Amino acid sequence: MPIRDDVLVVGGGLAATTAALAAAESGKKVRLVAHKKSTLRQASGLIDVLGYADGDGPHADPYAAMADLSEDHPYRILGEEAVREGLRIFDEAVGEMYAGGHTDTNALVPTYGGTVKPTARYPASVAPGLASIDEDTLFVGFEGTTDFAANVVAEHVANAGVPFETRGVTLPFPKRFRADARLTRFAKALDEDERVDRGVGVRRALADTVREHTSGEDRVGFPAMLGDVHGDEVREDLESRLGMSVFEVPTGPPSLLGLKLEDRLFDALDDAGVRIATGNPAVGYEADGDRIEAVYVDQKGSRVPYHAEQFVLATGGLVGKGIDSDREGVTEPLFDCHVPHAEDRYDWSEEAAFGDHAFARFGVVPDEEMRPTTASGEPQFENLRAAGGVVGGADVAREKSASGVSLATAAVAGGRAGEEA
Amino acid sequence: MSDAQTPPSDFGVDEQNDFEPVQVFDDETNMDLRPGADNCYKCTACDTSCPVAEVDDDFPGPKFQGPEQWRLKRKGDEDIDDSIMSCSNCMRCDGACPSSVPLSQMHNTARGEYVDEQMDKLSREYVRNRILSNYRLLAELGSKVPRLTNFVMGNSLVQQVNEKLLGITAEREFPEFAEQTFREWWAERGGAKVSSEEKKIAYFHGCYSNYNTPEVAKALVRVYEEFGYEIAVPRQRCSGTPMFANGMLDDAERAAAVNVSEFDDLIDEGYDVVASCTSCSMSLKQEYPELFSFSGTERVSAHTFEAMEYLRVHEDLEAAIEDASVEEQSFAYHAPCHARNQGLDRQAVELFRELDGVVIEDVGDSCSGISGTYGWKEEKYDTSMKIGEEMFDHMHHAEGNVGMTECPTCSMQMEHGTGYDIKHPLQLLEEALV
């Protein structure tokens, strides 16, 4: 007797976890198989839905902007309700950890590059830093953390036209680490309030260092490194010592905000009774006609079948390796789903680096219940659905829609899979 | 406009179709890890998952040990950095890398080179590491007179001498040798009690369940016979795990040659290979094909399974467990790193949750810190205990006061840090099903 579940979700990122949560709401037995540690740890932790459409934006109302998207965009195929359903599942999983659910309007979040990103949900620790809050802002970076240059961030944010003053300062962190120490090391020191010279805790020492630079400021922003497990405590501690609000700016990898979101979503999967097997890639499948019977996982050389009634493909896009390409063409490597693309590979991209590239929209073509379709428009398998980056039609990087597309497609794909299993 | 425009038209399509890949490395027998190094885009996922880097600020982390060190080496006569010996070979970096860089393979190769070419063969460190990684030879001697060995090794004076002379920490209690090894028991009972044409497994028991915890090996035999399997227990050496971790690749290769040949022969006769130790199964499945190329290496890898995994795939273990019950007991379960890397970190909890009478709790995803021989080294003992702190803490907070894990050295660490008795999942399976 093989390993058998009602619903099998293949993937480990935001779409896969959300699809598994959606499927579990039906009460069915759900399993998630993922190759590596979740890609959420590479992500900013921001949940964007739609900031730009057809090159225009930033839009304040993502739902209104959906009308400007092309007809093959997942939002147009699934409708606004799917986005709202995806956000509901997300909001229930993360609870108080995130803000933004009180409104349909996009928030503008300063990022570590100094850009201001339109986003629908953001960690509570990011909330006091929103660009819509008219408060003069000091950005603090640290010597040795090369990917957060506070003065550059401050200048860029000012250039974005915010209605307040910004300033950046780079300070020595009160505790010395090796020259190439990662943000996670700083976070750990704050989390555990490690001692620095003369037995003073690092939180107090940090507040003392920063205080000398806060005159005339209303709030202070740090790269997202203010603790891990005890993040709320660290931020409250700093706020009370500095007498002003303190916020985090989302960073690139290693992204503490992404790591925390990963932990929270995997806890939510545990609470929902979802079974999880990570560490090995899905490499093949077995089908009876147009019904998939099992997905094969390569357990370090041996092929182990995972049986289920319904399957969700959430393996990511070109970057996540859910979509593959070479000089000959573009493929979906697991089920060999149809991925439309121009025959001549010079038509896959534009000259301008940030142009309207065709490759950015590569992916499977879903029907209205997220089943990947063949070239002739029929569902390729009756019990396979797709979610997240593997789905084509959206240029998520230009639109600032990656998380929203993941949530919406996962809500429908996972939800239907659960109902039908 | 950038320089990266459309290629000039004289670089025509026809010429591109003529493109033929060229073999640029003349010697294909040497291990070349270049493609792996180039796959690294420095996202640091490996570094943030490294248990040693988390507690040791001086350890540069897996990204340095792997792709960066590899690139440095290409530049000429660079030595391997001695920090490679602080890598515990937990292999968590492999599971973290989104780009499938073969990190642990790079670490094993670098460590082998370091020990071969840079370590003084008369040094205390080399002698100590050689002894630790060849535990099986000691165990074979010691277990001939188990009571005497247990008495001597338990003597605190002997432990002090071990520490001063060899650098083996005096903080740890040596594991006791069983009075009868598993193989002696197996011979005494006359080998397999069940014969079958279709269901046949070749058991890789490893050293620890042979010399120290034969009850685990016996549990495997009884559970598999209950399901109707014919069991073979072929001649075998150490899986090589402690040798890889100490850079003793020649020792590992000799042991692997015996294991691959013995088990490959049985695969010919329709057997699959089953191991009860997750580091042993890891070694046969991943490290052998990465490091060696005996005939049959790939086939042994493809036919090797962890004991519970094999039953989950081939039997209706879930139904059997749902119908069974045991006396009430609670466990604090720890998933070994090497189980994690095989995707097996959740199977015990998933399964035993459904067993009547059992409460089982996962004590979190931290490493136990001992990593085989690592925590036995006097200079690594503190690091090892610091890594283990989180697990000890979670074990104390768990409802159960019996630990559970698949890995023999994790179980030493769990016992050392909490004083709990530690069981192997196979022992609970035996209690439930036999």
Side-chain angles (χ1 to χ4, degrees):
Chain A
M1 271 295 141
I3 298 169
R4 178 177 287 285
D5 297 273
D6 296 322
V7 179
L8 186 76
V9 179
V10 185
L14 182 63
T17 48
T18 307
L21 289 171
E25 287 186 351
S26 64
K28 303 288 168 53
K29 274 166 61 177
V30 181
R31 181 185 296 274
L32 178 135
V33 290
H35 183 189
K36 296 288 188 176
K37 285 282 183 188
S38 174
T39 45
L40 286 163
R41 56 180 52 200
Q42 323 272 4
S44 65
L46 298 177
I47 301 297
D48 45 11
V49 165
L50 187 62
Y52 299 80
D54 201 18
D56 274 347
H59 289 289
D61 182 349
Y63 298 102
M66 284 174 195
D68 299 337
L69 297 167
S70 65
E71 274 179 17
D72 61 348
H73 192 287
Y75 286 165
R76 293 293 299 275
I77 295 169
L78 298 176
E80 178 182 325
E81 276 319 298
V83 180
R84 293 188 186 279
E85 175 67 359
L87 285 168
R88 173 193 67 79
I89 294 168
F90 179 81
D91 289 342
E92 284 177 17
V94 296
E96 299 286 295
M97 191 176 156
Y98 271 70
H102 61 289
T103 172
D104 276 356
T105 308
N106 276 329
L108 294 171
V109 175
T111 71
Y112 77 121
T115 57
V116 175
K117 187 178 185 182
T119 189
R121 299 288 187 273
Y122 38 93
S125 64
V126 167
L130 295 191
S132 53
I133 303 172
D134 186 0
E135 289 181 353
D136 289 348
T137 305
L138 175 70
F139 290 95
V140 175
F142 297 101
E143 291 164 7
T145 60
T146 48
D147 46 5
F148 187 89
N151 56 330
V152 176
V153 174
E155 269 176 45
H156 280 203
V157 171
N159 289 341
V162 295
F164 49 83
E165 297 292 316
T166 65
R167 209 155 55 79
V169 57
T170 299
L171 303 173
F173 193 73
K175 186 161 180 166
R176 283 303 195 181
F177 304 119
R178 53 185 299 127
D180 59 349
R182 291 161 291 275
L183 281 181
T184 44
R185 181 65 191 92
F186 293 76
K188 189 185 163 206
L190 288 165
D191 221 28
E192 296 175 3
D193 202 11
E194 289 176 12
R195 305 287 110 177
V196 294
D197 297 340
R198 297 178 308 280
V200 176
V202 69
R203 296 178 193 169
R204 188 179 136 192
L206 175 61
D208 290 345
T209 313
V210 172
R211 193 179 297 111
E212 293 168 26
H213 302 270
T214 53
S215 97
E217 307 291 354
D218 300 317
R219 57 181 168 176
V220 188
F222 295 91
M225 48 159 272
L226 301 180
D228 181 6
V229 189
H230 307 298
D232 292 344
E233 200 183 295
V234 172
R235 202 162 55 85
E236 278 167 28
D237 201 344
L238 288 174
E239 285 189 331
S240 76
R241 287 178 194 279
L242 291 170
M244 60 183 64
S245 57
V246 166
F247 65 93
E248 291 189 298
V249 179
T251 68
S255 160
L256 256 300
L257 298 177
L259 282 161
K260 288 184 202 179
L261 179 58
E262 175 192 346
D263 286 347
R264 177 58 69 97
L265 289 176
F266 276 77
D267 284 349
L269 291 175
D270 272 335
D271 293 343
V274 173
R275 301 166 178 216
I276 302 167
T278 59
N280 298 299
V283 291
Y285 67 96
E286 195 175 295
D288 181 8
D290 61 357
R291 255 192 104 69
I292 295 170
E293 310 255 286
V295 161
Y296 284 100
V297 169
D298 178 3
Q299 312 258 93
K300 312 258 181 256
S302 48
R303 279 161 69 91
V304 172
Y306 283 74
H307 289 252
E309 296 296 315
Q310 297 289 328
F311 296 84
V312 178
L313 174 70
T315 43
L318 274 169
V319 177
K321 302 183 178 68
I323 298 291
D324 199 4
S325 71
D326 59 20
R327 283 160 179 262
E328 306 304 321
V330 185
T331 53
E332 183 283 300
L334 185 53
F335 297 103
D336 199 20
C337 294
H338 169 62
V339 180
H341 59 279
E343 207 165 296
D344 182 349
R345 68 188 164 88
Y346 287 104
D347 293 336
W348 297 352
S349 55
E350 299 294 318
E351 283 182 26
F354 297 103
D356 184 13
H357 300 295
F359 73 76
R361 291 185 301 276
F362 283 166
V364 303
V365 182
D367 69 5
E368 68 287 346
E369 51 171 293
M370 291 314 296
R371 288 181 300 194
T373 54
T374 61
S376 57
E378 299 300 313
Q380 186 175 353
F381 296 100
E382 60 169 274
N383 59 343
L384 174 68
R385 290 176 180 77
V390 75
V391 178
D395 183 347
V396 296
R398 291 183 95 214
E399 296 162 6
K400 304 293 173 231
S401 64
S403 302
V405 167
S406 285
L407 293 176
T409 52
V412 173
R416 289 301 293 259
E419 283 162 25
E420 292 191 14
Chain B
M1 275 297 172
S2 72
D3 295 335
Q5 297 183 3
T6 311
S9 54
D10 60 348
F11 190 66
V13 177
D14 287 347
E15 283 169 59
Q16 292 208 355
N17 284 346
D18 291 333
F19 173 80
E20 282 291 331
V22 203
Q23 175 64 41
V24 288
F25 299 105
D26 52 5
D27 176 11
E28 280 183 81
T29 53
N30 265 340
M31 201 161 334
D32 184 73
L33 300 170
R34 166 90 193 247
D38 285 355
N39 281 350
C40 171
Y41 54 84
K42 294 183 176 283
C43 71
T44 69
C46 55
D47 285 344
T48 48
S49 72
C50 173
V52 177
E54 193 178 341
V55 300
D56 179 357
D57 283 339
D58 293 327
F59 183 64
K63 178 161 62 69
F64 170 78
Q65 302 298 350
E68 287 171 5
Q69 176 137 270
W70 190 90
R71 286 192 197 100
L72 281 174
K73 289 280 297 167
R74 300 304 100 185
K75 275 302 223 182
D77 258 357
E78 288 295 325
D79 277 351
I80 302 272
D81 192 78
D82 62 5
S83 62
I84 189 67
M85 297 308 288
S86 290
C87 159
S88 74
N89 202 34
C90 72
M91 304 167 89
R92 278 186 184 238
C93 43
D94 283 350
C97 177
S99 222
S100 295
V101 175
L103 287 148
S104 69
Q105 183 185 11
M106 290 178 147
H107 301 161
N108 275 329
T109 315
R111 192 163 35 233
E113 188 177 329
Y114 175 81
V115 171
D116 259 2
E117 292 173 16
Q118 290 165 239
M119 198 186 260
D120 176 3
K121 304 298 178 294
L122 298 173
S123 66
R124 184 180 85 153
E125 188 184 5
Y126 180 84
V127 172
R128 189 262 327 263
N129 290 358
R130 194 88 198 266
I131 292 174
L132 284 176
S133 52
N134 285 282
Y135 170 77
R136 181 181 160 272
L137 298 177
L138 279 186
E140 196 169 315
L141 281 176
S143 65
K144 299 224 189 303
V145 279
R147 283 183 210 160
L148 177 66
T149 316
N150 293 340
F151 175 75
V152 173
M153 295 309 272
N155 181 302
S156 66
L157 185 68
V158 174
Q159 289 178 327
Q160 293 300 329
V161 170
N162 273 336
E163 177 162 317
K164 292 278 173 296
L165 209 64
L166 289 170
I168 296 174
T169 179
E171 301 287 338
R172 294 185 187 275
E173 311 271 314
F174 271 90
E176 289 198 1
F177 290 112
E179 297 194 0
Q180 184 186 37
T181 67
F182 165 68
R183 294 186 74 92
E184 286 163 5
W185 175 83
W186 179 253
E188 190 179 288
R189 103 199 262 263
K193 289 261 167 80
V194 172
S195 55
S196 165
E197 280 302 306
E198 296 88 39
K199 293 164 77 167
K200 302 200 276 194
I201 58 140
Y203 179 27
F204 192 93
H205 49 68
C207 309
Y208 202 74
S209 64
N210 184 38
Y211 297 113
N212 300 88
T213 55
E215 61 275 14
V216 171
K218 291 178 200 170
L220 180 137
V221 166
R222 291 177 186 132
V223 168
Y224 270 79
E225 286 190 342
E226 182 73 19
F227 280 108
Y229 283 85
E230 180 172 329
I231 301 171
V233 182
R235 188 169 77 100
Q236 55 195 272
R237 295 273 175 84
C238 168
S239 69
T241 301
M243 296 156 179
F244 304 136
N246 287 288
M248 307 287 171
L249 294 188
D250 292 344
D251 290 347
E253 187 164 8
R254 275 190 293 274
V258 173
N259 295 333
V260 168
S261 131
E262 291 283 337
F263 283 89
D264 193 40
D265 285 350
L266 284 167
I267 291 169
D268 267 339
E269 296 170 31
Y271 286 85
D272 281 324
V273 183
V274 163
S276 47
C277 161
T278 42
S279 293
C280 293
S281 60
M282 186 71 181
S283 181
L284 269 58
K285 286 170 82 66
Q286 181 174 325
E287 281 154 323
Y288 281 14
E290 277 182 355
L291 298 170
F292 310 125
S293 49
F294 317 112
S295 133
T297 308
E298 296 282 349
R299 208 158 70 121
V300 168
S301 164
H303 284 267
T304 298
F305 297 82
E306 188 274 336
M308 189 191 277
E309 175 191 26
Y310 191 79
L311 291 176
R312 285 172 62 227
V313 175
H314 293 92
E315 304 295 329
D316 197 346
L317 196 54
E318 214 177 314
I321 284 291
E322 274 166 16
D323 294 341
S325 67
V326 293
E327 271 179 44
E328 290 204 359
Q329 45 197 315
S330 307
F331 294 98
Y333 172 79
H334 164 75
C337 297
H338 290 174
R340 246 166 237 291
N341 289 327
Q342 293 172 73
L344 305 174
D345 49 322
R346 288 170 169 263
Q347 63 174 9
V349 170
E350 208 176 277
L351 189 72
F352 290 137
R353 250 183 210 152
E354 311 301 325
L355 177 56
D356 247 9
V358 165
V359 174
I360 183 165
E361 225 172 305
D362 193 313
V363 293
D365 58 5
S366 72
C367 169
S368 79
I370 190 167
S371 287
T373 59
Y374 193 83
W376 282 93
K377 298 173 183 172
E378 179 245 325
E379 76 280 10
K380 300 287 192 297
Y381 175 78
D382 288 343
T383 305
S384 157
M385 292 304 281
K386 243 167 134 177
I387 296 172
E389 230 164 68
E390 191 180 325
M391 181 190 73
F392 302 144
D393 191 44
H394 288 178
M395 284 180 73
H396 285 302
H397 283 96
E399 195 181 318
N401 54 6
V402 175
M404 178 176 280
T405 192
E406 289 89 349
C407 168
T409 58
C410 286
S411 94
M412 288 177 202
Q413 177 87 330
M414 292 164 82
E415 190 184 343
H416 183 61
T418 61
Y420 291 1
D421 280 341
I422 316 294
K423 277 194 173 180
H424 190 288
L426 282 168
Q427 293 171 278
L428 185 56
L429 268 190
E430 180 190 17
E431 195 181 330
L433 303 178
V434 181

